[in-house]
Structure formats: structure tokens, C-alpha cells
């Protein structure tokens, strides 16, 4: 028996399966990129909230949070086409003995490389302010 009738069968199978495999590979790359962006944004929000919560004044808390967010995103190498950070440091200005928390919200628009388009990744973190701290005098 001869196998001449199967000649070229592998090439035809590869031709049919190649686009599907490439699509799956691209989706895995995009999913990984978005996943890494989410991790970076979460870490930035958490670090910003923690940095602000240990400061003594609202101004220094805002500066510390902004610096921590930017530093964390830079360390992760995250490229944002737009970046926004909302920081609520009102609790830092309260008198000792009052409960409160600092809230940091970070939004970043991430390109869906290698596909066209982008996606907004957002995270919010809170950190309790020490109830019995004393402000600088």
C-alpha cells in the first residue's frame, strides 16, 4: 500500500491550525499584560495608602502617597497612556484619638499590546491612620 493519498496532509492541517494558534498566543500575551498591570496598580494603591497613613499632616501625606504611587508604577515598568491618582487624606488632619483611614485610588489606561485599543485598570486601597498618634508641633 502506498501513502501517496496523504501527501500534503500535514501542510493543510498546519495551514488550518496556524491562525487559531496565533490568536490564542496573542490573547495569552494580552491577558498577561493586563494581569501584570493589575498587580502593579494594586501595589501602587496599597503603597500610596500606607505611605500617607504614617505621615503627620495632610500635605505631607498627599506628597508621600503620590511619591509612593509613582515610584511603585515606575518599578513595575508600567506604561500608562493616562494615569490618575485620587488621594483622600482628610483623616490625617484629625486630632489624636479619632479613627480614620487614608484612601488612594489609582487609574491607569494600559495599551492592549499587540492588539489595538486600551483598557482602564483601577485599584483602591485604604490604610488606617494611627488613632493615638500626635502631630508635629
Amino acid at each position: 500500500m502506498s501513502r501517496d493519498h496523504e501527501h500534503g496532509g500535514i501542510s493543510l492541517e498546519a495551514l488550518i491550525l496556524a491562525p487559531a494558534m496565533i490568536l490564542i498566543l496573542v490573547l495569552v500575551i494580552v491577558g498577561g499584560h493586563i494581569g501584570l498591570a493589575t498587580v502593579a496598580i494594586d501595589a501602587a494603591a496599597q503603597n500610596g495608602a500606607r505611605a500617607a497613613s504614617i505621615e503627620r499632616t495632610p500635605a505631607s501625606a498627599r506628597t508621600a502617597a503620590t511619591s509612593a504611587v509613582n515610584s511603585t508604577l515606575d518599578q513595575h515598568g508600567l506604561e500608562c497612556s493616562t494615569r490618575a491618582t485620587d488621594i483622600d487624606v482628610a483623616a490625617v488632619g484629625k486630632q489624636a484619638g479619632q479613627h480614620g483611614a487614608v484612601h488612594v485610588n489609582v487609574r491607569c489606561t494600559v495599551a492592549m499590546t499587540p492588539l489595538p485599543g486600551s483598557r482602564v485598570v483601577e485599584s483602591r486601597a485604604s490604610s488606617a491612620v494611627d488613632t493615638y498618634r500626635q502631630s508635629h508641633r
Side-chain angles (χ1 to χ4, degrees):
M1 284 196 41
S2 169
R3 293 189 167 216
D4 290 337
H5 67 282
E6 293 182 17
H7 184 70
I10 293 177
S11 297
L12 182 59
E13 290 171 2
L15 182 65
I16 293 170
L17 292 178
M21 296 302 286
I22 291 171
L23 179 62
I24 290 171
L25 179 63
V26 167
L27 292 176
V28 167
I29 291 170
V30 169
H33 187 66
I34 298 298
L36 290 175
T38 301
V39 168
I41 296 294
D42 286 345
Q46 291 169 359
N47 290 345
R50 179 66 187 135
S53 72
I54 60 176
E55 293 296 324
R56 301 286 189 216
T57 66
S60 64
R62 184 173 303 283
T63 301
T66 301
S67 177
V69 166
N70 291 336
S71 175
T72 302
L73 293 178
D74 290 344
Q75 287 173 358
H76 281 86
L78 185 61
E79 299 282 332
C80 300
S81 58
T82 60
R83 181 191 297 183
T85 305
D86 299 320
I87 304 166
D88 177 8
V89 293
V92 175
K94 291 182 178 181
Q95 291 183 343
Q98 295 181 337
H99 298 284
V102 173
H103 307 284
V104 175
N105 190 50
V106 180
R107 282 182 308 284
C108 176
T109 303
V110 181
M112 294 184 56
T113 307
L115 297 176
S118 61
R119 179 172 178 183
V120 175
V121 180
E122 184 172 6
S123 182
R124 180 177 174 90
S126 299
S127 184
V129 175
D130 182 7
T131 305
Y132 299 103
R133 77 195 180 297
Q134 293 197 6
S135 61
H136 281 304
R137 295 181 181 187

